[in-house]
Structures are given as C-alpha cells and as structure tokens.
Amino acid sequence: AAKNAGRNRYAYFTPALQVAALNRMRLTNDLRGALKGDQLALYFQPIVHLATGRIHKAEALVRWQHPQRGMVSPCEFIPLAESSGLILEIGQWVFHEAADWAQRWRAEVDPAFQISINQSPLEFQHDGGDGVGYEDWLRHLRELGLPGQALVVEITEGLLLDATATVSDKLLQLRDAGIQVALDDFGTGYSSLSYLKKFDIDYLKIDRSFTRNLAPESSDMALSEAIIVMAHKLGLKVIAEGVETPEQRDLLARAGCDYGQGYLFARPIPAAEFDALLRHP
Ligand code: C2E
Ligand code: MG
Ligand code: MG
C-alpha cells in the first residue's frame, strides 16, 4: 500500500487510509475466527457442456458469511487471507470439502463428475512441508478412494510466466496424482502462448471480459475463435467464463468452445442446491 501511495508517501497516514488499514486488520482477525466458526461455505457453479447442455463439472467458489457484515466477497477476503497466511488453511479446507462432494457426486450421480478449485499463487507455490498442501491432498484422496481426475486446480497465467522450479515441480506432482490443471482468466494477462506448449495444462478458461463483448464479426469474437482453435490444436479443452445470454452461448458453441459457465446457466449456489440441480436437471 505504501508503494501505491507513490510520491505522497505521507498520504499513507491520512485518516481515510488509516480507517481502511484498520478495517483490513479487523477483517483479517475475523477471518481467523471464520475458519473455526463455520462461517465459510463452498458454493458450486455448474460448468455446462455446450453441445449437450449437460453438467459434468462445477467450479467450487468460497463464500464467507460474516456474522455482522453479511456475505463478504472472495475478491475482498482472499487478498487478506494471502497477506496473513490464512490462505493455506482456507485452501486446505476448500480441497477437503471439494473432494468430499466430488466423491459423493461421482458415486451417486455421475462417475465422471469433476470439481475445480482455485489456487492463488501463494498457495500453489507452498511447499507443503507443514502438512498443509500436496501430501495432505494425497492422503485425503487415498482415504476417500477418490482418483485425482475428480479434481481440477485453477491457476492464473502469471504463475507460468515467471515459472520457478517450484511451479514446474508442483505441476508435475499434480500430474502424477492425476489432478488436472486449468488456466483461469485467460486473456487478461500477458497471454504468452509458449507456456501452453511447455506445461501440461488441461483446460483453458476464456476470461469473461471476452465473453461479455461477443458479437458476430467483433474483434473479441475473432480472438475467442483463435484461442479455441489454438487450444484444441494443443490438446486443451476450452471453458468460457461469464456466459450470461443465449446469444453468447450460441456464438461460443458455434466457435467450437467445449464448455460454458455463467449466470445464464446458474449462479454459484450452496452445495445442497447444487446437489438437487445435479440430480434433477
Ligand atoms: P474466478 O476463479 O475467475 O471465478 C469466477 C468468478 O466469476 C466468480 O466470482 C463467479 O461468481 C463469477 N461469475 C460466474 N459467472 C458469472 C457471470 O455470468 N457473470 C459475472 N459477472 N460473473 C460471473 P466470485 O465467486 O466472487 O470469485 C471471485 C474470485 O475469487 C474467483 O475468480 C477466484 O479468483 C477467487 N476465489 C474464489 N474462491 C476461491 C478459493 O477457494 N480459493 C482461492 N484462492 N481463490 C478463490
Ligand atoms: Mg476460477
Ligand atoms: Mg476466472
């Protein structure tokens, strides 16, 4: 924050910013309690196979029901969780919860059902030496008798751009466990395509800023088509984020996009609701 304040470094100490900093501290403190106090919930948003309209996958999205503030957006609390280190515990909870539901839905509804979870760069690069992370994941999968294929980890481009040895190792570990990898928010970052060849990625998620402006003959349409063709040539499946209208769905389907996700199909919903949707589509 001091860096963002730029030349006016003393601006950091103005009352408004002090209030913001205090607010962040309070919220971070509350987040610690939220983990213990059952205030986190995992919501699920269907990922729809565009050619058939069927739901074979879902993205797990964390929600925080704050006792006083109500629903706090992950956009607000994930950064706090990162700076406080709490993200590791949250990530562990998310993994366990997602794996448990995947196990249930594969056993009872669809043997190929897949759930994707999000990992922030800090989580992804964590070495797992403290029982949180990869070793714990493997143990949990073993206990459930769940194959890694039931899960997908969503990461963002930035991680691959300056890929360290830790990042490459982690990708190989996931591969060993059968866990798949999706590149989230594709098109918003540097979108250097060379890493799609270099790393083993299974899914490419076209960012919703592209989906939003889809129209026949538009430049975002051309870009999306090019991304889809390229991804398919490299053996990746494509998921379009933020599908809100039937027109967007149809344009994407016609361009050969494999899956769609967005408010047109469903918003992220609590597990019990998603369970009902899956059983009675
Ligand atoms: P994301 O992974 O790109 O997730 C997609 C976001 O788009 C979700 O926001 C979802 O609710 C929203 N969305 C889905 N369909 C539509 C649509 O049709 N229109 C619009 N306008 N939005 C749509 P959400 O749930 O608020 O999550 C925001 C971000 O927080 C996620 O972006 C992800 O980066 C992060 N996040 C969420 N859960 C977790 C988690 O468990 N761990 C980590 N590390 N990050 C998470
Ligand atoms: Mg995501
Ligand atoms: Mg995304």
Coordinates of all heavy atoms in Angstrom, one line a residue, residues 127-190:
D127 N 5.3 -25.2 -0.3 CA 5.9 -26.5 -0.4 C 5.3 -27.7 0.3 O 5.6 -28.8 0.1 CB 7.4 -26.4 0.0 CG 7.5 -26.1 1.5 OD1 6.5 -26.2 2.2 OD2 8.7 -25.8 1.9
G128 N 4.3 -27.4 1.2 CA 3.5 -28.4 1.8 C 4.3 -29.2 2.9 O 3.8 -30.2 3.4
G129 N 5.4 -28.7 3.3 CA 6.2 -29.3 4.3 C 5.5 -29.4 5.7 O 5.9 -30.2 6.6
D130 N 4.5 -28.6 5.9 CA 3.9 -28.5 7.2 C 2.5 -29.2 7.3 O 1.7 -29.0 8.2 CB 3.7 -27.0 7.6 CG 3.0 -26.3 6.4 OD1 2.6 -27.0 5.5 OD2 2.9 -25.0 6.5
G131 N 2.3 -30.2 6.4 CA 1.1 -31.0 6.5 C -0.1 -30.3 5.8 O -1.1 -30.9 5.6
V132 N 0.1 -29.0 5.3 CA -0.9 -28.4 4.5 C -0.4 -28.4 3.1 O 0.7 -28.0 2.8 CB -1.1 -26.9 4.9 CG1 -2.3 -26.3 4.2 CG2 -1.2 -26.8 6.4
G133 N -1.2 -29.0 2.2 CA -0.8 -29.0 0.8 C -0.7 -30.4 0.3 O -1.5 -31.2 0.7
Y134 N 0.1 -30.6 -0.7 CA 0.1 -31.8 -1.5 C 0.1 -33.1 -0.8 O -0.8 -33.9 -1.1 CB 1.4 -31.7 -2.4 CG 1.4 -32.8 -3.5 CD1 0.4 -32.8 -4.5 CD2 2.3 -33.8 -3.4 CE1 0.4 -33.8 -5.5 CE2 2.3 -34.8 -4.4 CZ 1.4 -34.8 -5.4 OH 1.4 -35.8 -6.3
E135 N 0.9 -33.3 0.2 CA 0.9 -34.5 1.0 C -0.5 -34.8 1.6 O -1.0 -35.9 1.6 CB 2.0 -34.5 2.1 CG 3.4 -34.4 1.6 CD 3.7 -35.6 0.7 OE1 3.3 -36.7 1.0 OE2 4.4 -35.4 -0.4
D136 N -1.0 -33.7 2.2 CA -2.3 -33.8 2.8 C -3.4 -34.1 1.7 O -4.3 -34.9 2.0 CB -2.6 -32.5 3.5 CG -4.1 -32.4 4.0 OD1 -4.4 -33.2 4.9 OD2 -4.9 -31.7 3.3
W137 N -3.3 -33.5 0.6 CA -4.2 -33.8 -0.5 C -4.2 -35.3 -0.9 O -5.3 -35.9 -0.9 CB -3.8 -33.0 -1.8 CG -4.1 -31.5 -1.7 CD1 -4.4 -30.8 -0.6 CD2 -4.2 -30.7 -2.8 NE1 -4.6 -29.5 -1.0 CE2 -4.4 -29.4 -2.3 CE3 -4.0 -30.8 -4.2 CZ2 -4.6 -28.3 -3.2 CZ3 -4.1 -29.7 -5.0 CH2 -4.4 -28.5 -4.5
L138 N -3.0 -35.8 -1.0 CA -2.9 -37.2 -1.4 C -3.5 -38.1 -0.4 O -4.2 -39.1 -0.7 CB -1.4 -37.6 -1.6 CG -0.7 -37.0 -2.8 CD1 0.7 -37.6 -3.0 CD2 -1.5 -37.2 -4.1
R139 N -3.2 -37.8 0.9 CA -3.7 -38.6 2.0 C -5.3 -38.6 1.9 O -5.9 -39.6 2.0 CB -3.3 -38.0 3.3 CG -3.4 -39.0 4.5 CD -2.8 -38.4 5.8 NE -1.6 -37.6 5.6 CZ -1.4 -36.4 5.9 NH1 -2.4 -35.7 6.4 NH2 -0.3 -35.7 5.7
H140 N -5.8 -37.4 1.7 CA -7.3 -37.3 1.7 C -7.9 -38.0 0.5 O -8.9 -38.7 0.7 CB -7.7 -35.8 1.7 CG -9.1 -35.6 2.0 ND1 -9.7 -36.0 3.2 CD2 -10.2 -35.1 1.3 CE1 -11.0 -35.7 3.2 NE2 -11.3 -35.2 2.0
L141 N -7.2 -38.0 -0.6 CA -7.7 -38.7 -1.8 C -7.7 -40.2 -1.5 O -8.7 -40.9 -1.9 CB -6.9 -38.4 -3.0 CG -7.0 -37.0 -3.6 CD1 -6.1 -36.8 -4.8 CD2 -8.4 -36.7 -4.1
R142 N -6.6 -40.6 -0.9 CA -6.5 -42.1 -0.6 C -7.6 -42.5 0.4 O -8.2 -43.5 0.2 CB -5.1 -42.4 0.1 CG -4.2 -43.1 -0.8 CD -2.9 -43.7 -0.1 NE -2.4 -42.8 1.0 CZ -1.5 -41.9 0.8 NH1 -1.0 -41.7 -0.3 NH2 -1.1 -41.2 1.9
E143 N -7.8 -41.7 1.4 CA -8.9 -42.0 2.4 C -10.3 -42.1 1.7 O -11.1 -43.0 2.1 CB -8.9 -41.0 3.5 CG -7.9 -41.2 4.6 CD -7.7 -40.0 5.5 OE1 -8.5 -39.1 5.4 OE2 -6.7 -39.9 6.2
L144 N -10.5 -41.3 0.7 CA -11.8 -41.3 0.1 C -11.9 -42.3 -1.0 O -12.9 -42.7 -1.5 CB -12.1 -39.9 -0.6 CG -12.4 -38.7 0.3 CD1 -12.4 -37.5 -0.5 CD2 -13.7 -38.9 1.1
G145 N -10.7 -42.8 -1.4 CA -10.7 -43.7 -2.6 C -11.0 -43.0 -3.9 O -11.6 -43.5 -4.8
L146 N -10.7 -41.7 -3.9 CA -11.0 -40.8 -5.0 C -9.8 -40.6 -5.9 O -8.8 -40.2 -5.5 CB -11.5 -39.4 -4.4 CG -12.1 -38.4 -5.4 CD1 -13.4 -38.9 -5.9 CD2 -12.2 -37.1 -4.7
P147 N -10.0 -40.9 -7.2 CA -8.9 -40.6 -8.2 C -8.7 -39.1 -8.3 O -9.6 -38.3 -8.3 CB -9.4 -41.2 -9.5 CG -10.9 -41.2 -9.4 CD -11.2 -41.3 -7.9
G148 N -7.4 -38.7 -8.6 CA -7.1 -37.3 -8.8 C -7.9 -36.7 -9.9 O -8.2 -35.5 -9.8
Q149 N -8.3 -37.5 -10.9 CA -9.1 -37.0 -12.0 C -10.4 -36.3 -11.6 O -10.9 -35.6 -12.4 CB -9.4 -38.1 -13.0 CG -8.2 -38.6 -13.9 CD -7.3 -39.5 -13.2 OE1 -7.5 -39.9 -12.0 NE2 -6.1 -39.8 -13.8
A150 N -10.8 -36.5 -10.4 CA -12.0 -35.9 -10.0 C -11.9 -34.4 -9.7 O -12.9 -33.7 -9.6 CB -12.5 -36.6 -8.7
L151 N -10.6 -34.0 -9.7 CA -10.4 -32.6 -9.3 C -9.5 -31.8 -10.4 O -8.7 -32.4 -11.0 CB -9.7 -32.5 -8.0 CG -10.5 -33.1 -6.8 CD1 -9.7 -33.3 -5.6 CD2 -11.7 -32.1 -6.5
V152 N -9.8 -30.5 -10.5 CA -9.0 -29.7 -11.3 C -8.5 -28.5 -10.5 O -9.3 -28.0 -9.7 CB -9.9 -29.1 -12.5 CG1 -9.1 -28.2 -13.4 CG2 -10.5 -30.3 -13.3
V153 N -7.3 -28.1 -10.7 CA -6.8 -26.9 -10.0 C -6.7 -25.8 -11.0 O -6.1 -25.9 -12.0 CB -5.4 -27.2 -9.4 CG1 -4.8 -25.9 -8.8 CG2 -5.5 -28.2 -8.3
E154 N -7.4 -24.6 -10.6 CA -7.3 -23.5 -11.5 C -6.2 -22.5 -11.0 O -6.2 -22.1 -9.9 CB -8.7 -22.7 -11.5 CG -9.8 -23.6 -12.0 CD -11.1 -22.8 -12.3 OE1 -11.1 -21.6 -12.1 OE2 -12.1 -23.4 -12.7
I155 N -5.3 -22.2 -12.0 CA -4.3 -21.2 -11.6 C -4.3 -20.1 -12.7 O -5.0 -20.2 -13.7 CB -2.9 -21.9 -11.6 CG1 -2.6 -22.6 -13.0 CG2 -2.8 -22.9 -10.5 CD1 -1.2 -23.1 -13.1
T156 N -3.6 -19.0 -12.5 CA -3.6 -18.0 -13.4 C -2.3 -17.9 -14.2 O -1.3 -18.4 -13.7 CB -3.9 -16.6 -12.8 OG1 -3.1 -16.5 -11.6 CG2 -5.4 -16.5 -12.4
E157 N -2.3 -17.2 -15.3 CA -1.2 -17.1 -16.2 C 0.1 -16.7 -15.6 O 1.2 -17.1 -15.9 CB -1.5 -16.2 -17.4 CG -2.6 -16.6 -18.3 CD -3.0 -15.5 -19.2 OE1 -2.1 -15.1 -20.1 OE2 -4.1 -14.9 -19.1
G158 N 0.0 -15.7 -14.7 CA 1.1 -15.0 -14.1 C 2.1 -16.0 -13.5 O 3.3 -15.9 -13.6
L159 N 1.5 -17.1 -13.0 CA 2.3 -18.1 -12.3 C 3.2 -18.8 -13.3 O 4.3 -19.3 -12.9 CB 1.3 -19.1 -11.7 CG 1.7 -19.9 -10.5 CD1 2.2 -19.0 -9.4 CD2 0.4 -20.7 -10.0
L160 N 2.8 -19.0 -14.5 CA 3.6 -19.8 -15.5 C 4.6 -18.9 -16.2 O 5.6 -19.3 -16.7 CB 2.6 -20.4 -16.6 CG 1.6 -21.3 -16.0 CD1 0.8 -21.9 -17.2 CD2 2.2 -22.4 -15.2
L161 N 4.2 -17.6 -16.2 CA 5.1 -16.6 -16.9 C 6.5 -16.5 -16.3 O 7.5 -16.6 -17.1 CB 4.4 -15.2 -16.8 CG 4.8 -14.3 -17.9 CD1 4.2 -14.8 -19.2 CD2 4.2 -12.9 -17.6
D162 N 6.5 -16.4 -15.0 CA 7.9 -16.5 -14.4 C 8.0 -17.8 -13.6 O 8.4 -17.8 -12.4 CB 8.1 -15.3 -13.5 CG 6.9 -14.9 -12.6 OD1 6.2 -15.9 -12.2 OD2 6.7 -13.7 -12.4
A163 N 7.6 -18.9 -14.3 CA 7.6 -20.2 -13.6 C 8.9 -20.5 -13.0 O 9.9 -20.6 -13.6 CB 7.1 -21.2 -14.6
T164 N 8.9 -20.7 -11.7 CA 10.0 -21.1 -10.9 C 10.1 -22.6 -10.9 O 9.2 -23.3 -11.4 CB 9.9 -20.6 -9.5 OG1 8.7 -21.2 -9.0 CG2 9.9 -19.1 -9.4
A165 N 11.2 -23.2 -10.4 CA 11.3 -24.6 -10.3 C 10.1 -25.2 -9.4 O 9.6 -26.2 -9.7 CB 12.6 -25.0 -9.7
T166 N 9.7 -24.4 -8.4 CA 8.6 -24.8 -7.5 C 7.4 -25.0 -8.3 O 6.6 -26.0 -8.1 CB 8.4 -23.7 -6.4 OG1 9.6 -23.2 -6.0 CG2 7.5 -24.3 -5.3
V167 N 7.1 -24.1 -9.2 CA 5.9 -24.1 -10.0 C 5.9 -25.4 -10.9 O 4.9 -26.1 -11.0 CB 5.7 -22.8 -10.8 CG1 4.5 -23.0 -11.8 CG2 5.4 -21.7 -9.9
S168 N 7.0 -25.6 -11.6 CA 7.1 -26.8 -12.5 C 7.0 -28.0 -11.7 O 6.3 -29.0 -12.2 CB 8.4 -26.8 -13.3 OG 8.8 -25.5 -13.6
D169 N 7.6 -28.1 -10.6 CA 7.5 -29.3 -9.7 C 6.1 -29.6 -9.3 O 5.7 -30.7 -9.3 CB 8.4 -29.1 -8.5 CG 9.9 -29.3 -8.8 OD1 10.2 -29.6 -9.9 OD2 10.7 -29.0 -7.9
K170 N 5.4 -28.5 -8.9 CA 4.1 -28.7 -8.4 C 3.2 -29.2 -9.6 O 2.4 -30.1 -9.4 CB 3.6 -27.3 -7.9 CG 2.2 -27.4 -7.2 CD 2.2 -28.2 -6.0 CE 0.9 -28.2 -5.2 NZ 0.7 -27.0 -4.5
L171 N 3.4 -28.7 -10.8 CA 2.6 -29.1 -11.9 C 2.8 -30.6 -12.2 O 1.9 -31.4 -12.5 CB 2.9 -28.3 -13.1 CG 2.3 -26.9 -13.2 CD1 3.0 -26.0 -14.2 CD2 0.8 -26.9 -13.3
L172 N 4.1 -31.0 -12.0 CA 4.4 -32.4 -12.2 C 3.8 -33.3 -11.2 O 3.3 -34.4 -11.4 CB 5.9 -32.6 -12.3 CG 6.6 -32.1 -13.5 CD1 8.1 -32.2 -13.4 CD2 6.1 -32.8 -14.8
Q173 N 3.8 -32.8 -9.9 CA 3.2 -33.6 -8.8 C 1.7 -33.8 -9.0 O 1.2 -34.9 -8.8 CB 3.4 -32.8 -7.5 CG 4.8 -32.9 -6.9 CD 4.8 -32.2 -5.6 OE1 4.1 -31.2 -5.3 NE2 5.7 -32.7 -4.7
L174 N 1.0 -32.7 -9.5 CA -0.4 -32.8 -9.7 C -0.6 -33.8 -10.8 O -1.5 -34.7 -10.7 CB -1.0 -31.4 -10.1 CG -1.0 -30.3 -9.1 CD1 -1.6 -29.1 -9.6 CD2 -1.8 -30.8 -7.8
R175 N 0.2 -33.7 -11.9 CA 0.1 -34.7 -13.0 C 0.2 -36.1 -12.5 O -0.6 -37.0 -12.8 CB 1.2 -34.4 -14.0 CG 1.3 -35.3 -15.1 CD 0.3 -35.1 -16.2 NE -0.1 -33.7 -16.4 CZ -1.3 -33.4 -16.8 NH1 -2.2 -34.3 -17.3 NH2 -1.7 -32.1 -16.9
D176 N 1.2 -36.4 -11.6 CA 1.4 -37.7 -11.0 C 0.2 -38.2 -10.3 O -0.2 -39.4 -10.3 CB 2.6 -37.7 -10.0 CG 3.9 -37.7 -10.7 OD1 3.9 -38.1 -11.9 OD2 4.9 -37.4 -10.1
A177 N -0.5 -37.2 -9.6 CA -1.7 -37.6 -8.8 C -2.9 -37.7 -9.7 O -4.0 -38.1 -9.3 CB -1.9 -36.6 -7.7
G178 N -2.8 -37.3 -11.0 CA -4.0 -37.4 -11.9 C -4.8 -36.1 -11.8 O -5.8 -36.0 -12.5
I179 N -4.5 -35.2 -10.9 CA -5.2 -33.9 -10.8 C -5.0 -33.1 -12.0 O -3.8 -32.9 -12.5 CB -4.8 -33.2 -9.5 CG1 -5.1 -34.1 -8.3 CG2 -5.5 -31.8 -9.4 CD1 -4.6 -33.5 -7.0
Q180 N -6.1 -32.5 -12.6 CA -5.9 -31.7 -13.8 C -5.7 -30.3 -13.5 O -5.9 -29.8 -12.4 CB -7.1 -32.0 -14.7 CG -7.2 -33.4 -15.1 CD -8.1 -33.7 -16.3 OE1 -9.3 -33.2 -16.4 NE2 -7.6 -34.3 -17.3
V181 N -5.3 -29.5 -14.5 CA -5.0 -28.1 -14.3 C -5.7 -27.2 -15.4 O -5.8 -27.6 -16.5 CB -3.4 -27.9 -14.5 CG1 -3.1 -26.4 -14.3 CG2 -2.7 -28.7 -13.4
A182 N -6.3 -26.2 -14.9 CA -6.9 -25.2 -15.8 C -6.3 -23.8 -15.6 O -5.8 -23.4 -14.6 CB -8.4 -25.1 -15.4
L183 N -6.2 -23.1 -16.8 CA -5.6 -21.8 -16.8 C -6.8 -20.8 -16.7 O -7.6 -20.7 -17.7 CB -4.8 -21.6 -18.0 CG -3.6 -20.7 -18.0 CD1 -2.8 -21.0 -16.7 CD2 -2.8 -20.9 -19.2
D184 N -6.9 -20.1 -15.6 CA -8.1 -19.3 -15.3 C -7.9 -17.9 -15.9 O -6.7 -17.5 -16.1 CB -8.2 -19.1 -13.8 CG -9.6 -18.8 -13.3 OD1 -10.5 -18.6 -14.2 OD2 -9.9 -18.9 -12.1
D185 N -9.0 -17.2 -16.2 CA -8.9 -15.8 -16.6 C -8.0 -15.6 -17.8 O -7.4 -14.6 -17.9 CB -8.4 -14.9 -15.5 CG -9.2 -15.0 -14.2 OD1 -10.4 -15.5 -14.3 OD2 -8.7 -14.7 -13.1
F186 N -8.0 -16.6 -18.7 CA -7.1 -16.5 -19.9 C -7.4 -15.3 -20.7 O -8.6 -15.0 -21.1 CB -7.2 -17.8 -20.7 CG -6.1 -17.8 -21.8 CD1 -4.8 -18.2 -21.4 CD2 -6.4 -17.4 -23.1 CE1 -3.8 -18.2 -22.4 CE2 -5.4 -17.5 -24.0 CZ -4.1 -17.8 -23.7
G187 N -6.4 -14.6 -21.1 CA -6.6 -13.4 -22.0 C -6.4 -12.1 -21.2 O -6.3 -11.0 -21.9
T188 N -6.4 -12.1 -19.9 CA -6.3 -10.9 -19.2 C -4.9 -10.5 -18.9 O -4.6 -9.3 -18.6 CB -7.1 -11.0 -17.8 OG1 -6.6 -12.1 -17.1 CG2 -8.6 -11.1 -18.0
G189 N -4.0 -11.5 -18.9 CA -2.6 -11.2 -18.5 C -1.8 -11.0 -19.7 O -2.2 -10.4 -20.7
Y190 N -0.6 -11.7 -19.7 CA 0.3 -11.5 -20.8 C 0.0 -12.4 -22.0 O 0.4 -12.2 -23.1 CB 1.7 -11.7 -20.3 CG 2.1 -10.8 -19.3 CD1 1.8 -11.1 -17.9 CD2 2.6 -9.5 -19.6 CE1 2.2 -10.2 -16.9 CE2 3.0 -8.6 -18.6 CZ 2.7 -8.9 -17.3 OH 3.0 -8.1 -16.3

